[in-house]
Amino acid sequence: MTTNNIKTLHSISAIQPLVEPDKKCCSSNNCNNSEQQAPQNPQDNSKNSQLESWKVSGMDCPSCAQKIEKAVAKIHGVDKVQVLFATEKLLVNFAHPATVQQIEQACQNAGFTLNNLSSPLSESANNKPTNIVKDNLQIMSIAAAMLIGALAKIWSPEISQWIFTLTCLVGLYPIGKKAIQLAKSGTPFAIETLMSVAALGALYLGETAEAAMVLLLFLIGERLEAFAASRARSGVQSLMELVPENATKIINDERVIVSAASLQPGDIVEVSPGSRLPADGQLQDDTASFDESALTGESIPVEHLKGDNVMAGSIATDRVVRFMITSKQGENAIDRILHLIEDAESRKAPLERFLDKFSRWYTPLMMLVALAVIITPPLVFAQPWETWVYRGLALLLIACPCALVISTPAAITSGLATAARRGALIKGGAALEQLGKVEIMAFDKTGTLTQGKPDVTNIIGLNNTNEKDLMRYASAVELGSNHPLATSFIRKVEAQGIAIPEASNKQALAGVGVQGEVDGKLVQIISPSKMKLPLGTETLRQVQQLESQGKTVVVVTLNSQTAIGIIAWQDTLRSDSKLAIQALHKLGIRSIMLTGDNPRSAEAISSQLSMEYKASLLPQDKVTFVEQLAQQSQVAMVGDGINDAPAMKAASVSVAMGGGTDVALETADSALTHNRLTELPAMIELSRATLANIRQNVTLALGLKAVFLVTSLLGITGLWVAVLADSGATALVTLNALRLLRFEPKSTD
């Protein structure tokens, strides 16, 4: 188990802090590039601009994030602004230091509280419980006043009317004030505006009790939204809590308790059993086991050896251990995952982008429709003004797009959080949506379907070349290469105590082999299918026999004239490869193995997995083949190496194995931090469940609006039912989205 986990160790720590902003978020052929392009991150800016970040308090739903962005974007000198709803963070690039105060004032005017993350913790950073208590007290006060008003109606209807009117006006004051602030900051059609118009209109019509009820239901709905939002963010917040606040630092052989935020690379810390590592570190003890389940989803403790890197948030399980810190402040494994989650918010799903655009013109349009409902019947058909003003106000409340706008981001946020909990990092809603549409899944072979740790199985000398000389020549050319076949062969040579000579003019022959000069002779190590030198009948028979056993075979030649030997390796399949392919087939997904290996070896491997294959592919051939598939179907590419990156970028959506290279992890739309292939069908199921959830939410939001729109126009339902329909729909779609947090795939049964 130790050996298998050494490669997996770097699964998260290799992930870069931020994905390139110009990276595609969807490569389906019918996508518009300008629409698919994710907005650039505020960190990508001119040298003259500075970046500042704030913690935002008071955001109840993603629409709040849009309000803040609009308010800040209007400030002169602001270059870029982004609000990260999942981590409650505001990022702004601006040119002049004086802009800081303007940004904070603009957000305060819009009804939100900021805490500068670069300054010492202020009181505003912890005002959330106070806000919750304040909101609950407001709801309870209005409910109590309404109860008093209802009781007063028994002996004095006039006093009851005044109680309801005052209750509504007092409760409406902060809402109306916020509506004016939002209108000034660039959001004139907020729900607060609609509520203020509807409540004042009800008071004008003398419907004082109903106006107060509308206000009460609105506040309850807002509180439910805030609760649902906090639940949706709970996964991210629990991730942030994995890093302890304090650490035991070793200074002059003494234990000193220090803040985890003060740790720097090179510091030595001590971690007791049951405690979490405060930063990424290098193990200083001979061996120790760690629970990495919170980061990788792998429940079995992982054993690490001296010098191994261990991720922040891991739990020491069996002994007191010491580490040398390797990560800077804000750059540990947990921070990198949080950066990915934050960056994912800018990579919206196509449906989410459509709904964002839809909501921009939908609300103004519905206000015009409501106005038409109010004035048309009285002016054209001589209907009573009171009746149609009332119905128009009800229509105005029903038309609120909150439930529709939140239907998609709520489901996607829950889906991404669930994927992260299972050890799958998906970079945004676009990737999550594309995974659900995959029809074909292409796999790299080495390191993806196989362990990526091939063993040398055969060393055969040819033309009177002894085995030792063959190993000397071949190892000299292979020395220094990071290719799994090369490193495996070098280990074999060193284990036998054979001295490796120096080779000059070493060169990689892409897709063919390698060459170099040893003792003045040109030594080439080439795939049999790419050889120009004719091989003898017996040599060909030996090569074919080895390849038919699923082995990777190369021929070593001298001066391009003589074949001096055959070397063969065999890589073992991952234990869960077959189960993963079977599960994908049950989901109706074709699986194809893409490999540069020879056809006989590829067929031997693919037959064990019951999947299709394409062999003898150069990196460019993989790209061409994936592009051809993508023209006909939705294609996912799964790989782990640098040579897989171009094909991964050509696919509709891509998945990197967590133990792979940095390039593959950066290129991919998602990554498996634990290297379990069985999580692939689970990701597909989760994506499909998320898409189904979105369809349910949109249907629910629009369906309720359609029903109550008709009943309001016919005079069957009134204002308070309209508010209940809007708040209820918002709460229902959010709660429905939260069901994804409990998602369990059928493929794991």
Side-chain angles (χ1 to χ4, degrees), residues 11-34:
S11 58
I12 296 177
S13 58
I15 298 174
Q16 297 300 311
L18 284 173
V19 183
E20 297 176 357
D22 63 341
K23 183 187 175 300
K24 66 166 179 64
C25 56
C26 163
S27 15
S28 60
N29 298 311
N30 55 5
C31 287
N32 184 313
N33 289 335
S34 64

Side-chain angles (χ1 to χ4, degrees), residues 543-557:
V543 168
Q544 292 173 0
Q545 183 180 16
L546 292 170
E547 289 180 343
S548 65
Q549 297 170 7
K551 296 180 180 180
T552 300
V553 181
V554 298
V555 177
V556 184
T557 66

